[in-house]
Amino acid sequence: MKVAVLDINGKDTGRKADLSKDVFAIEPNNHAVYLDVKQYLANQRQGTHKSKERAEIAGSTRKIKKQKGTGTARAGSIKSGVFKGGGRMFGPRPRNYSFKLNKNVKRLARKSALSIKAGEQSITVLEDFNFDTVKTKNFTAVLKALNLENKKALFVLGGSNNNVYLSSRNLKGSEVITSSELSTYKILNANQVVLLEGALEGIELNLSK
C-alpha cells in the first residue's frame, strides 16, 4: 500500500511510503475495537464515587414509632433510606473499573482502527521534522499547511521529541504521541492520523507480532 510522503509545508516530496497490508489493510474486527475502546475509557475512571449508607449516617438509633397500630408501614430507624436525611439505598461504592484484555485482541483492535482510517483516506505520512525552539506558532503553521487547523489531528512520532510535543501541547484539537503510545481510542478519536516516517517501522513492528 503506497502513500505519498509530504513535507511540513504540505508539498509532495516525490517519495512513497510502503504501508504494510497486514497492519493498514485488514478486515476490521469491530468487536475487538469495541473492547479496546471500552477498556481505555474504563481505565480513565477514578472509581472514587461514594455515598453514605444507613450504617454511616449520624442519627438516633431509637425505634421511631411503635411496631403495630399506626396504620402505616413499620419503621425502626430514622436513618432508613425511605426517610429524608436517611442513608442512600444501593448507592455507589469505590470500585476499580479496569478489566483484563488479551494482548492479541488489543493488537487486532489497533490494526483494525488503522485499517478503518486508511480506508477513509484519513492517514497522512509526513517526513520527520523538528523545531529549533518551542513555539506554538511553528506547530500551527504545520497544521495550516496540511489543512488540519480545524480538525482533530493525531501526530505519531517515531521517538520522543520535546520541542514538537511542547509546541503542540497548547492546541486543543491536536495531540502528539510516540508510536509506543498509540491506542485504538486515540486513532478513532482523530479526524486525521499523521504518521511520521520514523514511526512507521515501530508501528508495523509492534503490530505485526
Side-chain angles (χ1 to χ4, degrees):
M1 183 177 174
K2 301 285 187 180
V3 177
V5 179
L6 306 181
D7 61 18
I8 59 172
N9 297 315
K11 307 294 184 183
D12 193 340
T13 61
R15 301 197 311 276
K16 299 280 187 182
D18 191 12
L19 302 183
S20 171
K21 290 183 179 180
D22 295 332
V23 175
F24 294 91
I26 69 166
E27 180 67 31
N29 187 310
N30 293 330
H31 190 61
V33 170
Y34 159 74
L35 289 174
D36 201 17
V37 170
K38 180 181 178 182
Q39 187 195 47
Y40 178 89
L41 294 175
N43 289 340
Q44 307 306 303
R45 301 185 69 173
Q46 287 185 316
T48 53
H49 41 45
K50 178 72 175 75
S51 64
K52 287 187 177 182
E53 299 180 3
R54 62 184 290 169
E56 299 164 314
I57 294 291
S60 173
T61 57
R62 75 176 182 87
K63 185 170 174 64
I64 59 176
K65 62 181 180 181
K66 64 180 184 177
Q67 179 78 346
K68 302 175 73 67
T70 62
T72 59
R74 56 196 173 185
S77 172
I78 196 66
K79 297 186 284 185
S80 170
V82 300
F83 296 120
K84 181 181 177 181
R88 183 170 175 184
M89 293 184 282
F90 307 112
R93 294 177 175 180
R95 57 165 292 196
N96 180 10
Y97 283 92
S98 64
F99 60 92
K100 183 182 180 298
L101 202 58
N102 291 335
K103 285 183 181 179
N104 286 339
V105 175
K106 292 170 71 70
R107 199 174 289 129
L108 175 61
R110 288 198 295 272
K111 289 194 288 187
S112 296
L114 288 170
S115 297
I116 291 170
K117 288 297 181 183
E120 296 173 348
Q121 306 294 313
S122 297
I123 289 182
T124 302
V125 178
L126 199 64
E127 67 178 2
D128 293 322
F129 67 93
N130 191 15
F131 298 140
D132 295 331
T133 56
V134 177
K135 281 191 178 295
T136 302
K137 71 177 181 180
N138 290 343
F139 197 83
T140 304
V142 175
L143 293 176
K144 193 168 291 187
L146 298 173
N147 294 320
L148 297 176
E149 63 265 41
N150 296 320
K151 295 181 180 179
K152 286 193 287 187
L154 177 67
F155 283 73
V156 185
L157 311 182
S160 179
N161 188 323
N162 219 34
N163 283 358
V164 174
Y165 169 70
L166 292 175
S167 296
S168 70
R169 194 170 56 171
N170 204 33
L171 299 173
K172 188 176 181 181
S174 61
E175 185 177 5
V176 173
I177 61 173
T178 62
S179 57
S180 61
E181 298 169 327
L182 198 62
S183 73
T184 304
Y185 177 83
K186 289 182 178 180
I187 294 168
L188 295 176
N189 190 46
N191 297 127
Q192 190 77 15
V193 178
V194 182
L195 304 176
L196 269 66
E197 279 187 291
L200 294 177
E201 185 180 353
I203 292 171
E204 292 177 0
L205 187 65
N206 288 338
L207 299 183
S208 297
K209 295 176 182 177

